[in-house]
Amino acid sequence: MPIIVRLDVMLARRKMTSRELSARIGISEQNLSLLRSGKVRGVRFNTLEAICRELDCQPGDLLEYDAGPGAGD
Amino acid sequence: MIDARDTLSAARRLERVMLAATFLLVALALIGLAAGIANPLDMARGIAWQGGYDGVALTHGQAWLLIAHVAIHVGVWIALLIVARGLFGQLAAGNPAAAARSARRVARLLWAMLAWGLVSQPIASATATWGLPEGERTLSVAFGTPQISVAFAALMASFMAHAFALGAELWQDHREVI
């Protein structure tokens, strides 16, 4: 999928662990791990909103479009 | 997020109901079978009486054919209850894809029940009246309220199976959206 999730980068910038973020936004660590690795079909707006609120960032800081050789997968 | 707890607990209750019904039917079938083995002629006369053929003389062969005819009916019912129990069990376990497969099996069994209901009536009537003199033997075909009810139930179950399959896909999609 050409959408790359940059949640790891934002977590490192904010010096926050994924466990802490999952507790703050109210989703399981397992689901957050799936989101970090991009192994999900989609992200709900309310999840995105909660992540952006806790990490003080914009959706564009978390998601990136890369139309590379894998585009259209 | 969708909260499926009410549905899951209702499915768990229905699974227990189906299990109890299966045990009850199996117990009744075993009692019937024991009675049939002990006195097949009496049992077959009872079956013939239920079908509207009162006081017919039956040989042992006819008696066992009539008992087998009822046993197939009961067998289909037991299979239906077992599959229905599996359906609710899989729903209770949160596995809608497997429940959708069970729903398709329930629909197929209901169609089989309808087909056997239509085929069995001529067989049972011919078997029950085989010993009567020529001109008094019967070959009857039944298509009334019971058959229409089973056909309607089978049709509904087929549509429900499709709805289950669609629901399972939606549930999977829902789980993969964080």
Side-chain angles (χ1 to χ4, degrees), chain B residues 68-176:
Chain B
H69 153 263
V70 172
I72 291 170
H73 268 296
V74 175
V76 175
W77 264 107
I78 290 170
L80 190 69
L81 287 173
I82 289 170
V83 175
R85 183 196 156 252
L87 189 158
F88 292 118
Q90 281 138 4
L91 270 183
N95 188 358
R101 284 194 292 275
S102 292
R104 272 196 294 272
R105 280 197 287 272
V106 167
R108 277 200 291 266
L109 279 168
L110 281 168
W111 286 116
M113 190 181 276
L114 175 67
W116 175 244
L118 293 173
V119 168
S120 70
Q121 179 65 25
I123 296 171
S125 60
T127 307
T129 58
W130 198 253
L132 296 177
E134 275 186 40
E136 289 181 31
R137 291 173 195 161
T138 310
L139 188 69
S140 70
V141 178
F143 195 80
T145 309
Q147 286 76 21
I148 292 169
S149 303
V150 176
F152 187 69
L155 194 66
M156 290 300 287
S158 298
F159 276 109
M160 289 295 284
H162 283 295
F164 256 109
L166 185 63
E169 272 183 49
L170 288 173
W171 177 248
Q172 188 61 32
D173 198 59
H174 173 76
R175 281 162 67 106
E176 288 179 20

Side-chain angles (χ1 to χ4, degrees), chain A residues 12-60:
Chain A
R13 278 189 194 160
R14 299 291 183 257
K15 294 183 174 59
M16 192 185 287
T17 62
S18 56
R19 174 175 288 194
E20 194 180 342
L21 180 63
S22 66
R24 284 188 184 196
I25 65 174
I27 69 170
S28 68
E29 272 188 82
Q30 190 191 4
N31 277 347
L32 193 65
S33 169
L34 288 171
L35 181 58
R36 280 170 60 196
S37 56
K39 290 174 186 166
V40 290
R41 221 181 271 197
V43 188
R44 288 191 185 84
F45 278 152
N46 55 4
T47 307
L48 200 55
E49 181 194 331
I51 294 172
C52 288
R53 186 184 62 238
E54 294 303 326
L55 295 179
D56 189 25
C57 64
Q58 292 298 312

